[in-house]
Amino acid sequence: MEAYLDNSATTCCYEQVKDVVVKTMMQDYGNPSAMHLKGVESEQYIKKATAQIAKTLKAEEKEIYFTSGGTESDNWALIGTALANQRAGKHIITTQIEHPAVSAPASYLEEQGFEVTRLGVDDKGRISLEELEDAIREDTILVSAMYVNNEVGIVLPIAEMGEIIKKKNPKTYFHVDAIQAYGKYRILPKKMNIDMLSVSGHKIHGPKGTGFLYINEKVKIIPYIHGGGQQKGMRSGTDNVPGVAGLGMASEMIYSKLEENVTHMRELKDYFVSELNKMDQVYIHGTTGAESAPHIISAAFKGVRSEVLLHTLEERQIYVSAGSACSTHKRSGSPTLTAMGVPKELMESTVRFSFCEMTTKEELDYTLQVIGEVLPMLRRYARH
Ligand SMILES: Cc1ncc(COP(=O)(O)O)c(C=O)c1O
């Protein structure tokens, strides 16, 4: 049996997504910028996807811009607004638990002369709204925060944050990295005071290398990729029609059964957590209630290194991640667990399990059984 519990790293495509991707690669493959019929046909896919996505957010179609994924959306939101608004101020607020797709452009902007305040978190991963309010100044041009943390699944109070930001400084933009939240929560940017929202296709059963940035029409932002003037000159490059069509399809499909999917994942999570809690010296990071996303569980297996457990599980066709998928490229410890003050020993024995709507109880039972078998053995070896 196989258990794929690494859905926060990536998901498999919906069958219907695959079909539309193949169709736009093999049959309706025209360049949407072309003036002939094949181009016009192809453009219809972009229009359809835009409408499908705008509907999920109750946004205007003209506020959706396609990108190459979550990383590009985040980089564009931060760098594009910082450069466009630097005369108004050079102060940016973010958190200590952001994904590198936000924390790295924030550091880059710091090197370029911007000032960055990084809000800390408590031992559960929660930010303080008072601290946010205190940090907002006259020259704060942007607050960038994630909706759901990719490492431990904590949910940030986005609606409350939006309210506080706009009350303290109506000119401050609010960017939300919703890459782990879109398809799990109903997100209404206009109601929640969100000016920009980043989404990635491959986390919602869409194709890899696809994503979008919602940009409220009032936001002053400059393009990040310059060229032939596609997407109203805001994001040049020949439109990725297969990717965009697949992303639109995935967005529509995931939102068509959102409540059902979330209930399923929440039940699985409650079950998995209660079983893990029965195991000796296994610690769940953050919280597991409503403040946490339905699909992410981060647990430390004291006395066993993450990669040892990961590879032992892999031998039995169980796929998990060591803290966060990005850790394979970076030697440094996890930013979120560090900010939460998790001791090094537990940090180094942390594994992330992440679910999707297709995850089954059988996969969890198999995983729990294998962990139960291998854990005492791995701990015995670790002591020698
Ligand atoms: C919270 C968060 N932001 C950004 C990204 C980057 O998205 P992408 O893989 O589409 O570039 C990820 C990917 O894991 C993520 O979890």
Side-chain angles (χ1 to χ4, degrees):
M1 144 145 220
E2 183 180 294
Y4 182 75
L5 303 179
D6 202 13
N7 291 280
S8 283
T10 201
T11 56
C12 75
C13 274
Y14 287 129
E15 199 67 30
Q16 294 90 325
V17 167
K18 180 205 76 184
D19 292 344
V20 76
V21 168
V22 171
K23 191 158 180 239
T24 45
M25 288 176 102
M26 307 308 293
Q27 195 178 316
D28 300 335
Y29 55 81
N31 186 328
S33 301
M35 287 163 78
H36 50 67
L37 189 63
K38 256 201 135 32
V40 176
E41 263 171 20
S42 181
E43 202 190 2
Q44 293 309 317
Y45 286 93
I46 307 273
K47 285 193 173 149
K48 182 171 176 197
T50 309
Q52 286 169 317
I53 291 166
K55 199 170 165 209
T56 66
L57 300 171
K58 291 200 177 21
E60 307 273 334
E61 290 173 22
K62 62 183 175 210
E63 295 173 316
I64 308 297
Y65 295 89
F66 295 105
T67 65
S68 64
T71 301
E72 185 189 324
S73 297
D74 284 343
N75 271 262
W76 184 15
L78 270 84
I79 298 172
T81 43
L83 295 184
N85 297 280
Q86 52 187 323
R87 281 217 195 100
K90 293 190 113 181
H91 182 230
I92 295 167
I93 299 171
T94 180
T95 79
Q96 287 177 9
I97 60 168
E98 296 305 311
H99 186 277
V102 164
S103 61
S107 301
Y108 166 77
L109 288 167
E110 211 167 25
E111 283 161 22
Q112 305 304 310
F114 288 82
E115 191 189 336
V116 179
T117 300
R118 296 174 180 83
L119 304 173
V121 293
D122 67 8
D123 60 347
K124 303 274 186 238
R126 295 177 293 215
I127 66 153
S128 146
L129 291 172
E130 291 76 49
E131 216 176 289
L132 167 67
E133 190 171 3
D134 290 347
I136 302 165
R137 315 187 307 218
E138 184 55 34
D139 63 340
T140 306
I141 51 172
L142 177 70
V143 175
S144 177
M146 60 191 355
Y147 200 128
V148 168
N149 176 268
N150 54 300
E151 292 186 49
V152 298
I154 187 86
V155 183
L156 272 70
I158 294 299
E160 288 95 320
M161 290 172 76
E163 218 167 281
I164 289 169
I165 294 164
K166 297 298 170 182
K167 211 161 156 195
K168 184 96 187 265
N169 185 351
K171 292 197 295 278
T172 303
Y173 291 132
F174 188 23
H175 165 247
V176 174
D177 172 338
I179 286 148
Q180 296 290 347
Y182 185 79
K184 313 287 188 310
Y185 291 90
R186 294 231 178 251
I187 309 173
L188 302 173
K190 293 205 204 293
K191 219 171 156 191
M192 300 165 93
N193 292 302
I194 298 169
D195 298 298
M196 289 168 284
L197 187 94
S198 300
V199 170
S200 171
H202 72 109
K203 314 284 186 187
I204 56 160
H205 308 283
K208 290 178 184 50
T210 68
F212 69 84
L213 181 64
Y214 157 85
I215 310 177
N216 183 297
E217 58 177 333
K218 295 196 193 93
V219 172
K220 203 169 135 199
I221 183 167
I222 58 164
Y224 184 63
I225 294 183
H226 305 263
Q230 289 88 346
Q231 301 200 60
K232 297 175 274 179
M234 290 297 282
R235 202 282 190 178
S236 286
T238 300
D239 300 278
N240 172 8
V241 184
V244 166
L247 172 61
M249 174 73 78
S251 303
E252 183 178 281
M253 286 181 67
I254 206 156
Y255 272 97
S256 70
K257 43 192 169 54
L258 181 93
E259 282 73 23
E260 194 185 311
N261 291 345
V262 168
T263 305
H264 172 68
M265 287 184 279
R266 183 68 73 188
E267 279 169 11
L268 288 182
K269 176 164 172 169
D270 289 348
Y271 171 67
F272 199 61
V273 165
S274 74
E275 291 301 308
L276 285 181
N277 276 335
K278 289 181 194 158
M279 294 182 184
D280 192 30
Q281 296 196 298
V282 176
Y283 305 96
I284 313 274
H285 297 301
T287 68
T288 52
E291 268 178 316
S292 78
H295 61 303
I296 299 176
I297 296 160
S298 173
F301 296 82
K302 198 170 177 197
V304 183
R305 290 187 67 87
S306 327
E307 53 292 6
V308 173
L309 182 55
L310 183 148
H311 291 303
T312 307
L313 295 179
E314 176 197 27
E315 282 173 18
R316 308 281 289 269
Q317 283 82 50
I318 298 167
Y319 303 101
V320 299
S321 135
S324 160
C326 307
S327 54
T328 44
H329 300 295
K330 292 224 164 87
R331 285 272 120 221
S332 56
S334 133
T336 303
L337 298 177
T338 305
M340 286 165 65
V342 173
K344 193 164 174 275
E345 191 197 356
L346 289 187
M347 201 171 347
E348 288 177 352
S349 61
T350 294
V351 165
R352 180 188 68 181
F353 305 89
S354 49
F355 307 161
C356 74
E357 64 194 68
M358 298 167 199
T359 306
T360 63
K361 182 163 178 294
E362 288 68 39
E363 284 180 290
L364 301 192
D365 281 333
Y366 174 58
T367 305
L368 289 163
Q369 176 214 317
V370 172
I371 292 175
E373 272 169 43
V374 301
L375 208 51
M377 183 186 72
L378 295 176
R379 282 190 175 136
R380 238 182 352 261
Y381 286 142
R383 277 200 292 274
H384 290 301

